[in-house]
Amino acid sequence: AQLQTSSAVQASDISGLQGNVTQLQASSTSQASSIAALQGNVTQLQASSSGLAVNTSTLQFNVTQLSATLNSQTSSITALQSNVTQLALAATSQAAIMASLQTNVSNQASSISTLQGNVTNQASGIATLQANISSLVSNVATLQSNVASQAVGISTLQANATFQATSISTLRSNVTSQAA
């Protein structure tokens, strides 16, 4: 009776173990499927790793080119900074020149104002001279008229002198005759 009871217990244990084996077999199948999926992922990762290696090489080449470009740009920036410094110096020099030119313009404006005053004065002087010239022309005309009148008087005086000389000669002749 004890053996039968023990056999029944063992049979139950064997049945439980068989259930466990079945579960383990199912779990093993699932794990095998998971392992196959993981192997697929590993294959994809390996392919991706190869692509990444190519990309890394390309990126390294690009970094090298960018470094060379950066060095060139640094040199250009240095040259530009030098140019900016030179332009600043030129601007300072030009500002001084502009200030000097403005001073010259102010001086010239003052000179022009003075010249305009002189021109006004000269215009007034010219008007006075023109009036004097007109007066002199009038006086010259008057003198010319007087000279003409005096010429006529001189001509008359010369005629009278000639007549008187003739008369004196005649009187002398008459006196001589009377004396004889």
Side-chain angles (χ1 to χ4, degrees), residues 84-108:
V84 167
T85 301
Q86 289 179 340
L87 287 172
L89 292 174
T92 302
S93 176
Q94 288 177 349
I97 292 171
M98 287 295 293
S100 177
L101 287 174
Q102 287 175 339
T103 301
N104 291 338
V105 167
S106 297
N107 292 335
Q108 288 176 352

Side-chain angles (χ1 to χ4, degrees), residues 41-61:
N41 290 337
V42 167
T43 301
Q44 289 180 340
L45 287 171
Q46 287 174 337
S48 178
S49 177
S50 297
L52 287 173
V54 171
N55 289 338
T56 299
S57 176
T58 302
L59 287 172
Q60 286 176 338
F61 178 74

Side-chain angles (χ1 to χ4, degrees), residues 3-168:
L3 287 172
Q4 287 177 341
T5 299
S6 176
S7 178
V9 170
Q10 288 177 350
S12 176
D13 291 338
I14 289 170
S15 177
L17 289 172
Q18 287 177 335
N20 290 337
V21 168
T22 300
Q23 289 179 343
L24 287 171
Q25 287 176 337
S27 176
S28 176
T29 301
S30 175
Q31 287 177 351
S33 176
S34 297
I35 289 168
L38 287 172
Q39 287 176 336
N41 290 337
V42 167
T43 301
Q44 289 180 340
L45 287 171
Q46 287 174 337
S48 178
S49 177
S50 297
L52 287 173
V54 171
N55 289 338
T56 299
S57 176
T58 302
L59 287 172
Q60 286 176 338
F61 178 74
N62 290 339
V63 166
T64 301
Q65 287 183 329
L66 287 172
S67 295
T69 301
L70 181 61
N71 290 334
S72 175
Q73 289 176 344
T74 301
S75 177
S76 297
I77 288 169
T78 301
L80 287 173
Q81 286 175 336
S82 176
N83 290 338
V84 167
T85 301
Q86 289 179 340
L87 287 172
L89 292 174
T92 302
S93 176
Q94 288 177 349
I97 292 171
M98 287 295 293
S100 177
L101 287 174
Q102 287 175 339
T103 301
N104 291 338
V105 167
S106 297
N107 292 335
Q108 288 176 352
S110 177
S111 297
I112 288 169
S113 178
T114 301
L115 287 173
Q116 287 175 336
N118 292 338
V119 167
T120 302
N121 293 334
Q122 288 175 354
S124 176
I126 288 169
T128 302
L129 286 173
Q130 287 175 335
N132 291 336
I133 288 169
S134 295
S135 178
L136 287 172
V137 168
S138 177
N139 291 337
V140 168
T142 301
L143 286 172
Q144 287 175 336
S145 177
N146 291 337
V147 167
S149 297
Q150 288 175 356
V152 171
I154 289 168
S155 178
T156 302
L157 286 173
Q158 286 176 338
N160 290 336
T162 301
F163 177 75
Q164 287 176 355
T166 301
S167 296
I168 289 168

